[in-house]
Amino acid sequence: METWIRKYITASEAPDITSLRASLTTTLPDQLLQLITTIRGSKSYTALLLAISRDHPVVTQLLLTPLRGIAVELLFEKVEVGRTALHRAVLKGDRELVELILHTVSSGKKYELIAVKDGVGWTALTLAALIGYTEIVETLLISLSVEQRVSLLNIQTTYYRDTALHKAAYIGHTAALQTMLTSIPPDKVSALLSMKNRDSRTLLEYAESEGEKESVELLKSWQQPLLAALTNQGEELAESKQQIGALQEEDNRKTAELANQREELTKLKEELVESKQQISDLQEADNRKTAELASQREESQQQVVALQEANNQMTADMAAMMERLNKLDIYLRTPTDTDETGDQLHEPQG
């Protein structure tokens, strides 16, 4: 593979495709990338850049295909006038080559590669728009997300501050201009149409100054619905402001109600704290009275016991007295002597 590359760099005749195919079958992608990167010709051109410059699409395809995903640094490399391989592919107008280069880098690097500026601040899209390569413009944009397209269309050249849209409008490439405008959402177009270059000219003003009637008509056709949309948006904005005002009033009212409710809640909390204190005081009083009642009950029980004992003593005393009375009664009724008449006489008690 090294021998083939060295011959290709120095040769002036057509390349030996058969030998290239054979060499590629025995060369690993990493080895191929190293060889292409290190072996260079005049102006530090690699074999890849020479293949693009010499219009050798087969050589370009055979060299690039094995390098998919690993040729990032090689494709970002700038040479003469600060242009990359993608810049040169666009200048050649080779859509297939542009697709191949974009296919070689990862999706996360596509935007960075397309947005690379050359020595005068032109991206690959700027070149395609200026020359009028509508299909290449479409190829470049379709590989990006909507946000990336908007960002790319906002890039301005270093000196004239032109965007790719300015270049297409200036030359009168209406197909490329239309492709770029339709690649993004309508709500993003207005900002692009109002962008100004170094001469403070918008796209429409730029096209009018150059007498590009088709570009002027196209841009006006875009401006009219945008103006109508802006008018509608203004009316909708006014209505939205009214709604916002009404909502703000309602919010203020609810805020005031909430403040009142919070104030009432604060009062209730204070009352609750006071009630809790009262309950606590009542509980303490109840506990105190309960203790006093328990003490009184204990004293009463003691008095009852004492009275019971006294009652029992009195009952015993009464029983003893009754027993004595009974004995006395019996004694009084017992005969001790008789008188002359024969009646019983009793001895007086005591």
Side-chain angles (χ1 to χ4, degrees):
M1 190 68 224
E2 180 179 353
T3 302
W4 188 94
I5 292 176
R6 292 189 182 280
K7 286 183 179 180
Y8 182 69
I9 288 176
T10 58
S12 57
E13 66 273 5
D16 185 355
I17 301 301
T18 303
S19 175
L20 173 59
R21 292 182 188 277
S23 298
L24 286 171
T25 58
T26 58
T27 306
L28 296 175
D30 289 339
Q31 295 174 340
L32 176 62
L33 178 60
Q34 183 178 7
L35 291 171
I36 293 176
T37 304
T38 56
I39 302 174
R40 298 172 180 267
S42 62
K43 300 179 181 179
S44 295
Y45 273 37
T46 63
L48 177 62
L49 283 174
L50 284 172
I52 296 173
S53 300
R54 293 172 179 175
D55 288 328
H56 293 161
V58 177
V59 175
T60 304
Q61 182 176 6
L62 289 174
L63 292 176
L64 267 182
T65 301
L67 301 179
R68 182 181 181 186
I70 64 172
V72 177
E73 292 183 3
L74 184 64
L75 292 175
F76 276 85
E77 184 177 303
K78 294 181 179 182
V79 288
E80 202 172 2
V81 200
R83 288 174 178 166
T84 64
L86 183 60
H87 281 103
R88 295 191 171 277
V90 171
L91 286 171
K92 293 291 181 181
D94 192 336
R95 181 181 185 179
E96 292 183 357
L97 178 56
V98 171
E99 290 176 343
L100 179 60
I101 292 174
L102 293 176
H103 187 66
T104 304
V105 297
S106 62
S107 58
K109 291 291 183 178
K110 283 184 173 61
Y111 172 78
E112 293 181 30
L113 183 60
I114 298 172
V116 170
K117 291 183 176 183
D118 63 9
V120 292
W122 290 31
T123 66
L125 181 66
T126 310
L127 290 173
L130 177 69
I131 303 172
Y133 290 147
T134 304
E135 291 184 350
I136 293 180
V137 168
E138 182 180 9
T139 299
L140 293 171
L141 292 173
I142 202 172
S143 64
L144 305 176
S145 66
V146 173
E147 292 77 11
Q148 289 173 336
R149 294 173 193 171
V150 174
S151 178
L152 188 64
L153 291 171
N154 273 283
I155 293 177
Q156 295 174 294
T157 59
T158 304
Y159 184 70
Y160 289 103
R161 310 297 296 170
D162 291 335
T163 64
L165 291 164
H166 279 92
K167 294 299 184 186
Y170 167 75
I171 300 296
H173 295 312
T174 55
L177 185 60
Q178 178 74 355
T179 299
M180 288 185 283
L181 291 173
T182 55
S183 69
I184 60 175
D187 61 321
K188 303 293 184 181
V189 174
S190 178
L192 290 171
L193 292 179
S194 61
M195 283 191 67
K196 296 182 179 182
N197 61 5
R198 189 192 67 174
D199 298 327
S200 299
R201 292 178 179 178
T202 63
L203 299 179
L204 180 58
E205 291 169 344
Y206 204 22
E208 288 175 337
S209 67
E210 298 300 322
E212 293 296 336
K213 295 182 179 180
E214 292 184 0
S215 295
V216 170
E217 291 177 0
L218 175 61
L219 292 170
K220 285 184 176 180
S221 70
W222 275 91
Q223 280 192 336
Q224 290 173 355
L226 286 174
L227 289 174
L230 288 174
T231 302
N232 292 334
Q233 289 178 359
E235 294 175 353
E236 292 175 357
L237 180 61
E239 184 178 353
S240 298
K241 286 182 178 179
Q242 292 179 351
Q243 293 176 351
I244 291 172
L247 291 173
Q248 187 66 45
E249 291 179 0
E250 180 67 14
D251 181 69
N252 293 337
R253 184 182 62 79
K254 290 184 177 180
T255 300
E257 291 179 355
L258 181 60
N260 292 333
Q261 291 175 356
R262 286 178 177 173
E263 186 177 353
E264 292 177 359
L265 181 60
T266 301
K267 291 180 180 179
L268 289 173
K269 286 181 178 179
E270 292 174 353
E271 293 175 359
L272 179 61
V273 171
E274 184 178 354
S275 298
K276 286 182 177 180
Q277 184 62 43
Q278 291 175 352
I279 292 172
S280 178
D281 295 341
L282 291 173
Q283 187 68 44
E284 289 180 2
D286 181 70
N287 292 337
R288 186 176 64 255
K289 289 182 179 180
T290 300
E292 292 176 356
L293 181 59
S295 177
Q296 291 174 359
R297 284 178 179 175
E298 185 177 356
E299 292 178 359
S300 297
Q301 288 178 352
Q302 291 176 355
Q303 292 175 357
V304 168
V305 170
L307 289 172
Q308 187 67 42
E309 291 177 353
N311 183 60
N312 292 337
Q313 183 62 42
M314 290 177 65
T315 301
D317 292 343
M318 289 181 65
M321 291 178 64
M322 289 299 296
E323 184 178 357
R324 291 178 61 189
L325 288 172
N326 288 334
K327 288 181 179 181
L328 180 59
D329 183 65
I330 293 173
Y331 174 77
L332 293 174
R333 291 180 181 275
T334 302
T336 57
D337 199 358
T338 59
D339 58 10
E340 296 179 353
T341 61
D343 293 328
Q344 293 180 348
L345 298 175
H346 296 273
E347 183 178 356
Q349 185 178 3

